[in-house]
Amino acid sequence: MIRDYTYHNSAKSQPPAFYCFFLEVSLKSPKMGSRSLPEDSPQMMALRRKIVLSILFICACIGTPIWNWTTRLYRAELPYDQIYALQAHALEEVHIEIPIEVKSSSEIIDVTQTLLDSRIGLILGSQPRVDWRIQLKEADSVPSNAGYLLELIDPDDDSTFQDVDGFRLRLRLNSDNDISTPEQISDYLIGEIFRSELDSLKSPHEDDLMTIPYSSTYHISLSLLQGAGDIMDWDVERCSQEFQQYLEFLRPIASFSLDSQVGYYASLSEDTLKNIWDEESQTYLLTEKEMSTFIDHSEWGLEENTISENVINFVVYVPSEANSPITIKGSNSNSFLVPQWGGLKIHNAPKGLPIILEHDTLSPIMEIFASQLLSLLGSPKTPGSFAIRIDILTRVRTIKNIERALNNLLSLAKLTKQLPTISIPDFTLAYVESALRSINSAITLINSQDFADANKLSIEAVDQSNRAFFEKDMIQQMYFPDEHKMAVYVPLLGPFATIIFLGTLRIFKEWSSMRKEASKMASTTEKART
Amino acid sequence: MRIRIFWVLSVLCACCAALESATGGSDNEESRHTNNWAVLVSTSRFWFNYRHMANVLSMYRTVKRLGIPDSQIILMLSDDVACNPRNAFPGSVFNNADRAIDLYGDNIEVDYRGYEVTVENFLRLLTDRWGPEHPRSKRLLTDERSNIFIYMTGHGGDEFLKFQDSEEISAFDIADAFEQMAEKHRYNEIFFMIDTCQANTMYSKFYSPNILAVGSSELHESSYSHHSDTEIGVAVIDRFTYYNLEFLEGIEKDSQKTLQDLIDSYTFEDIHSNAGVRTDLFGRNLSDVLITDFFGNVQKVVVDNVEDDILYFTNNDETVKKPRPNTNFPSPKKNITRINTDIGTSLKSIQVGKTDSKAAAASLKAVLASAAFLSVLTYFWKF
């Protein structure tokens, strides 16, 4: 009644249209409470039914699928079975066979072959990680230049010769009759030439602390740093050409790029040279403790490379006059290696002269870096032949790469199963499939002794499996607590759902009352008839 | 009698086993890491949150002083208080009313600033899921030999931390991101430190190995600021961070202090809340873990195993220039290129399909939104 009164009072100033609506409703509501619903014409009821049913239809057939589609998480079906199967059996299918031509009689070769097979079997155990063997062959009269060639030198031959030369091995036989020729050959091959390879195959893959993290490309940064600001120059162009030449040989393992920089005022921190002056040698003697904090990463400008490859740093450090000479304890080359980072060589320049590193001075330094690079890449120390070491490294890395790619895929498989809210885009699937293909082809190539190409494919497999794992769109949906979901959906859907629910209830009521009426009518007409 | 002998024997065996495991444990004392990374995040915006920027910059200063290179520090700074017009000392940020140290200094590298500090970017950073255009300096390029120090500060609550006053990260999100890192061998050990209200809830959901976590306050407990600078007009640092820094200022690159010493230094009198530590996921005993295992960058070095003449041989010796063995294998080259082109085209086709469907979804969404808007308008118009 009060509301009623307000309405009439404010009739002079016309209330806005929607306000009228609310008032009307509130005016009507007492009536609705006291009486039953006003009778609607059957046409109106039919119309209402249609409206409610069509809204229900739209909700069910258009709204729900759209909601489902827009909130859906796309998860491509990864080939899990294939990944698990390959992870379990890939290495069993690898058969490495190294052909060696031997300049000897076929009897000796046959005996040596059996001896080698049994010895390798003993070293690798009954269930080797990878099947690995040496295949001996009788050398043709004109030796092919391609593969390993073993020459046996007679004990009486006094001529001097190089032990290992490229892929050409020369073994001077012992005149001692206690050890037979086959035994000497197998000792030589297993104990010396291929020893590091067998060692690395024997133990399951674990990179040692030294080896730089795996990558298919590396960037090498050569830096000449000086503690003060004196005139300084180096003949880096000629030396870097030689270094490039060397890097060409490492191409089977990874590809490398090279740059150089010169930096001044790369000063040492005050504590570094405190209390380490050695009276005996008249130098600052660096021990491991000082070396570990020698490089000043924040001030020397070594980390400013914007290149997106893994960077290997090689630094020639020329201490300022006040701080020189500096020597490194226990190092003949006055250099040290920082695992996974690079190497540093301290060059004490003669005092009072401009610092100019000519080719003659610089090339021994580059020699040090070349050797350090091999260590950083995880190359074996033996045998003496550079070519054979690269060959061994290629094979070892191929196996490691295959394992690494498989592990990546396995991690991906585990993770996608473990986190149901992570999306799996088609890119990931494509990279997984191509990685699996690369692994399979790499294994085929190893088995046909094409180690260089197998390594290339294994590198691709690692890259592809990494890309699959690090795919940009494979990001997990953020976690929302249930209260949050309620808070989002209730204000949006609450009013809407209430109206639909009440409307449905109403037409259902009407429908049931109509049916009742109809049955009543039917019974009365029945009665009337009787 | 026999039973007694059996008992004695079994006790002896147990003792031996215990001894062995103890000595085995002491072998593993030293950390296996070769490189150190730091991720420092302040998540709150606006001038009155000056202290959060100061917190994070103080940590930045510390890890840099102890030797972690800028390329291995990811600094996420959610607001630029140094250049805020309300700053009475433009270009400077101080963490103490005595204003002795200008944290903004002359050499600071902010990797993510302002509105780049989002939950998505933080999670992408941890899981390293970026497009190829993302610069290397803004990525967390860790490997299985990396020790990572992660420091977060901002406004938080029970199992969440607010980012930019507009979104929040939950403890589950961080836990899952760490699990993804663990699965991909992206760390050796993680030291997670968080200074926010109810901070200890943030690390309660972690389940990946080798994570050590400390937080400033328990569930239903606030973290407090330390003191205000009257001229700057706001609080300049939080208590928990302040006392951490006080301890860390006494650390040098070659310090032998351990994390246990740091944790023992936390007291309720100082911090005004109960700092928490979670060690159950961490493999080592805290009194074996040096502060510099996480805050510094102490490198192990290897001396003198140089061989001569590799360069000389590769440049001058004809024998090493011989072709590699068995390069005359017939078919593989063709094989390889075929595989490559295969991948290329299939990926390209996906790319096209994907952008199409995305564009379609976007346009559909726009249409739906406008339709909804129109219907609401007409609804009101009617009345």
Side-chain angles (χ1 to χ4, degrees):
Chain A
M1 288 317 278
I2 296 168
R3 284 184 186 182
D4 201 355
Y5 178 64
T6 343
Y7 175 56
H8 285 291
N9 239 9
S10 59
K12 289 167 211 163
S13 57
Q14 195 67 25
F18 69 91
Y19 188 52
C20 283
F21 167 73
F22 285 114
L23 285 175
E24 246 168 80
V25 171
S26 58
L27 281 170
K28 278 178 186 169
S29 57
K31 285 178 201 164
M32 283 165 81
S34 55
R35 287 184 211 166
S36 61
L37 285 168
E39 293 289 320
D40 277 331
S41 66
Q43 288 96 331
M44 281 293 278
M45 276 159 68
L47 182 65
R48 179 157 52 235
R49 217 164 29 238
K50 271 182 198 160
I51 291 172
V52 169
L53 285 177
S54 61
I55 287 177
L56 278 180
F57 176 80
I58 290 170
C59 285
C61 299
I62 301 175
T64 319
I66 286 177
W67 172 74
N68 201 19
W69 183 58
T70 48
T71 56
R72 188 187 55 153
L73 205 59
Y74 183 74
R75 282 168 73 89
E77 189 53 38
L78 295 182
Y80 290 109
D81 297 339
Q82 231 175 313
I83 293 172
Y84 293 137
L86 208 56
Q87 162 76 19
H89 305 294
L91 289 186
E92 290 171 17
E93 287 166 23
V94 177
H95 306 288
I96 298 178
E97 202 175 270
I98 300 163
I100 300 180
E101 294 185 8
V102 187
K103 280 189 177 169
S104 181
S105 67
S106 58
E107 296 86 59
I108 287 183
I109 289 175
D110 286 345
V111 176
T112 317
Q113 183 71 56
T114 17
L115 192 65
L116 273 175
D117 286 350
S118 66
R119 278 196 175 185
I120 292 168
L122 275 180
I123 291 173
L124 292 178
S126 56
Q127 280 184 320
R129 219 157 53 97
V130 175
D131 179 33
W132 187 95
R133 63 191 297 267
I134 295 173
Q135 180 65 49
L136 298 181
K137 264 197 309 200
E138 202 178 334
D140 301 332
S141 50
V142 186
S144 64
N145 254 345
Y148 288 94
L149 177 70
L150 175 64
E151 285 173 55
L152 302 175
I153 311 284
D154 203 62
D156 307 328
D157 191 349
D158 285 339
S159 62
T160 54
F161 58 88
Q162 223 176 340
D163 177 24
V164 199
D165 179 13
F167 290 108
R168 209 165 150 198
L169 314 168
R170 291 196 189 92
L171 172 66
R172 188 194 289 273
L173 291 174
N174 205 330
S175 54
D176 196 350
N177 284 332
D178 292 348
I179 313 162
S180 65
T181 313
E183 259 178 79
Q184 285 186 38
I185 296 174
S186 63
D187 274 349
Y188 176 65
L189 289 178
I190 296 174
E192 277 182 45
I193 303 296
F194 295 108
R195 187 173 158 191
S196 56
E197 186 168 354
L198 281 167
D199 281 349
S200 65
L201 287 178
K202 210 163 42 177
S203 59
H205 124 262
E206 186 174 305
D207 284 338
D208 58 332
L209 282 171
M210 176 75 75
T211 314
I212 201 152
Y214 163 81
S215 170
S216 56
T217 50
Y218 294 104
H219 182 80
I220 293 175
S221 176
L222 298 170
S223 309
L224 173 63
L225 297 180
Q226 191 199 158
D230 300 330
I231 297 167
M232 179 169 73
D233 194 16
W234 58 342
D235 188 8
V236 74
E237 297 208 351
R238 199 171 145 200
C239 284
S240 65
Q241 271 169 15
E242 290 170 5
F243 206 73
Q244 292 271 19
Q245 181 72 35
Y246 159 66
L247 293 178
E248 278 302 309
F249 282 88
L250 300 175
R251 195 161 281 281
I253 298 160
S255 54
F256 295 87
S257 53
L258 190 71
D259 75 6
S260 69
Q261 64 168 342
V262 177
Y264 296 87
Y265 298 106
S267 50
L268 298 173
S269 78
E270 287 168 17
D271 300 341
T272 310
L273 297 182
K274 219 189 257 175
N275 306 327
I276 58 165
W277 178 257
D278 185 46
E279 280 300 330
E280 197 182 314
S281 60
Q282 289 292 307
T283 57
Y284 291 102
L285 198 60
L286 288 185
T287 62
E288 203 168 315
K289 181 170 153 283
E290 284 85 28
M291 275 181 273
S292 62
T293 53
F294 189 85
I295 298 166
D296 190 340
H297 292 278
S298 56
E299 300 298 332
W300 286 8
L302 293 171
E303 318 287 337
E304 278 158 18
N305 242 316
T306 50
I307 290 154
S308 59
E309 281 125 34
N310 280 20
V311 180
I312 304 175
N313 298 279
F314 290 115
V315 179
V316 186
Y317 186 81
V318 184
S320 64
E321 259 183 44
N323 287 337
S324 69
I326 299 175
T327 53
I328 290 167
K329 201 177 176 186
S331 168
N332 304 328
S333 57
N334 216 18
S335 68
F336 63 83
L337 250 174
V338 182
Q340 297 190 329
W341 184 84
L344 185 138
K345 149 87 185 165
I346 293 174
H347 177 76
N348 294 307
K351 289 192 182 188
L353 294 170
I355 304 156
I356 291 168
L357 302 180
E358 296 288 353
H359 179 257
D360 292 348
T361 328
L362 195 55
S363 64
I365 296 176
M366 299 301 273
E367 222 24 283
I368 295 171
F369 292 158
S371 154
Q372 288 181 334
L373 180 60
L374 267 191
S375 307
L376 287 168
L377 290 172
S379 150
K381 299 269 177 292
T382 54
S385 159
F386 178 73
I388 295 179
R389 274 159 64 181
I390 296 299
D391 193 45
I392 291 174
L393 189 59
T394 311
R395 273 194 298 273
V396 170
R397 277 182 79 113
T398 308
I399 299 293
K400 280 188 181 175
N401 285 341
I402 289 175
E403 280 182 324
R404 191 171 282 126
L406 282 169
N407 281 337
N408 283 346
L409 293 178
L410 193 70
S411 302
L412 180 70
K414 259 164 83 181
L415 209 65
T416 49
K417 287 201 165 170
Q418 195 182 339
L419 304 173
T421 56
I422 203 164
S423 70
I424 309 173
D426 281 335
F427 269 114
T428 302
L429 177 64
Y431 283 128
V432 167
E433 282 172 346
S434 62
L436 288 172
R437 273 201 297 271
S438 302
I439 292 170
N440 281 324
S441 346
I443 291 173
T444 322
L445 288 179
I446 295 175
N447 291 348
S448 48
Q449 295 150 32
D450 185 3
F451 302 120
D453 284 328
N455 189 48
K456 259 184 229 160
L457 272 178
S458 73
I459 287 173
E460 263 170 38
V462 175
D463 284 352
Q464 283 151 355
S465 62
N466 267 333
R467 279 192 190 167
F469 193 93
F470 290 124
E471 170 54 40
K472 185 187 172 191
D473 292 328
M474 207 177 83
I475 195 93
Q476 199 184 6
Q477 252 191 356
M478 250 178 283
Y479 169 83
F480 293 112
D482 286 337
E483 304 97 81
H484 283 215
K485 286 179 193 159
M486 282 284 280
V488 169
Y489 281 121
V490 165
L492 262 178
L493 299 179
F496 176 67
T498 324
I499 290 168
I500 294 178
F501 177 70
L502 289 177
T504 321
L505 208 66
R506 185 170 176 180
I507 62 161
F508 189 72
K509 265 184 184 169
E510 283 174 359
W511 178 67
S512 62
S513 66
M514 259 169 65
R515 268 189 56 173
K516 260 182 206 166
E517 242 163 63
S519 63
K520 230 187 237 171
M521 290 266 279
S523 62
T524 46
T525 45
E526 200 84 339
K527 269 179 192 171
R529 271 183 200 170
T530 52
Chain B
M1 189 63 200
R2 216 174 247 180
I3 294 168
R4 198 173 285 171
I5 287 172
F6 170 73
W7 272 112
V8 168
L9 272 177
S10 59
V11 165
L12 268 176
C13 284
C15 284
C16 287
L19 253 176
E20 206 162 59
S21 67
T23 48
S26 63
D27 283 344
N28 297 333
E29 262 176 26
E30 208 163 78
S31 179
R32 294 170 64 247
H33 74 284
T34 56
N35 55 76
N36 281 82
W37 287 73
V39 179
L40 311 170
V41 194
S42 120
T43 64
S44 37
R45 209 171 170 76
F46 306 123
W47 172 247
F48 53 83
N49 291 319
Y50 185 98
R51 64 182 184 283
H52 294 153
M53 265 50 82
N55 283 349
V56 127
L57 287 170
S58 317
M59 282 296 169
Y60 175 78
R61 197 187 108 80
T62 304
V63 291
K64 214 169 153 180
R65 181 176 64 84
L66 291 175
I68 302 186
D70 245 332
S71 58
Q72 282 164 232
I73 305 174
I74 307 290
L75 179 59
M76 298 179 106
L77 207 56
S78 49
D79 201 354
D80 188 6
V81 288
C83 300
N84 192 301
R86 272 184 272 188
N87 193 347
F89 305 92
S92 306
V93 178
F94 299 102
N95 65 356
N96 198 313
D98 65 11
R99 293 197 283 272
I101 307 163
D102 178 9
L103 297 171
Y104 222 60
D106 43 22
N107 191 0
I108 170 170
E109 195 184 301
V110 182
D111 295 286
Y112 295 84
R113 60 178 189 152
Y115 287 121
E116 286 176 345
V117 183
T118 59
V119 174
E120 185 185 331
N121 278 352
F122 179 64
L123 292 179
R124 281 188 185 279
L125 178 82
L126 293 182
T127 52
D128 200 29
R129 295 216 165 87
W130 299 106
E133 74 286 350
H134 202 73
R136 187 179 167 85
S137 63
K138 294 173 86 167
R139 287 172 56 190
L140 187 66
L141 295 163
T142 51
D143 56 63
E144 58 195 318
R145 300 285 186 186
S146 307
N147 271 12
I148 312 176
F149 168 59
I150 297 176
Y151 174 84
M152 302 186 86
T153 181
H155 291 284
D158 186 5
E159 292 173 5
F160 73 86
L161 176 68
K162 225 162 58 161
F163 267 68
Q164 300 280 5
D165 239 15
S166 64
E167 51 178 351
E168 49 196 49
I169 193 168
S170 78
F172 295 90
D173 293 327
I174 302 183
D176 283 345
F178 283 169
E179 175 62 13
Q180 296 190 44
M181 292 171 78
E183 195 56 66
K184 189 65 182 65
H185 307 293
R186 271 167 53 71
Y187 67 81
N188 173 44
E189 284 167 342
I190 288 180
F191 180 33
F192 181 82
M193 182 186 272
I194 182 158
D195 185 353
T196 174
C197 296
Q198 314 192 40
N200 301 359
T201 58
M202 282 304 282
Y203 59 68
S204 57
K205 302 297 170 204
F206 293 171
Y207 54 96
S208 313
N210 294 323
I211 299 176
L212 174 69
V214 300
S216 58
S217 52
E218 282 175 355
L219 179 63
H220 305 311
E221 208 177 43
S222 292
S223 287
Y224 297 98
S225 62
H226 188 262
H227 68 276
S228 294
D229 181 323
T230 45
E231 272 183 75
I232 293 172
V234 286
V236 288
I237 194 162
D238 282 319
R239 301 198 83 90
F240 179 68
T241 305
Y242 181 89
Y243 288 103
N244 267 306
L245 284 174
E246 196 174 72
F247 182 87
L248 290 171
E249 279 299 308
I251 302 291
E252 284 305 321
K253 280 180 182 177
D254 53 357
S255 161
Q256 293 299 309
K257 283 252 170 73
T258 65
L259 281 182
Q260 191 63 50
D261 297 328
L262 173 69
I263 283 153
D264 290 343
S265 74
Y266 300 157
T267 60
F268 187 81
E269 285 69 40
D270 285 342
I271 301 174
H272 292 191
S273 57
N274 292 298
V277 191
R278 184 165 173 199
T279 53
D280 58 327
L281 298 168
F282 200 66
R284 291 191 288 158
N285 192 341
L286 289 196
S287 43
D288 297 333
V289 185
L290 296 180
I291 297 278
T292 49
D293 280 356
F294 287 100
F295 288 89
N297 190 35
V298 180
Q299 285 165 324
K300 297 180 181 72
V301 294
V302 178
V303 169
D304 203 26
N305 47 4
V306 175
E307 325 156 35
D308 287 333
D309 297 341
I310 297 172
L311 213 54
Y312 178 80
F313 271 124
T314 52
N315 278 281
N316 301 312
D317 194 13
E318 284 304 313
T319 50
V320 291
K321 289 186 182 172
K322 275 178 195 169
R324 317 201 50 68
N326 300 303
T327 39
N328 51 354
F329 183 72
S331 64
K333 283 270 159 59
K334 242 182 239 167
N335 219 350
I336 295 167
T337 48
R338 191 183 56 73
I339 290 166
N340 279 345
T341 49
D342 255 20
I343 299 160
T345 47
S346 70
L347 289 184
K348 216 177 265 173
S349 67
I350 291 166
Q351 173 86 58
V352 171
K354 204 170 147 190
T355 47
D356 276 355
S357 76
K358 260 197 176 166
S363 61
L364 191 68
K365 267 182 194 166
V367 167
L368 281 177
S370 55
F373 183 68
L374 275 177
S375 62
V376 168
L377 262 186
T378 47
Y379 180 78
F380 279 115
W381 187 254
K382 269 184 185 165
F383 302 112

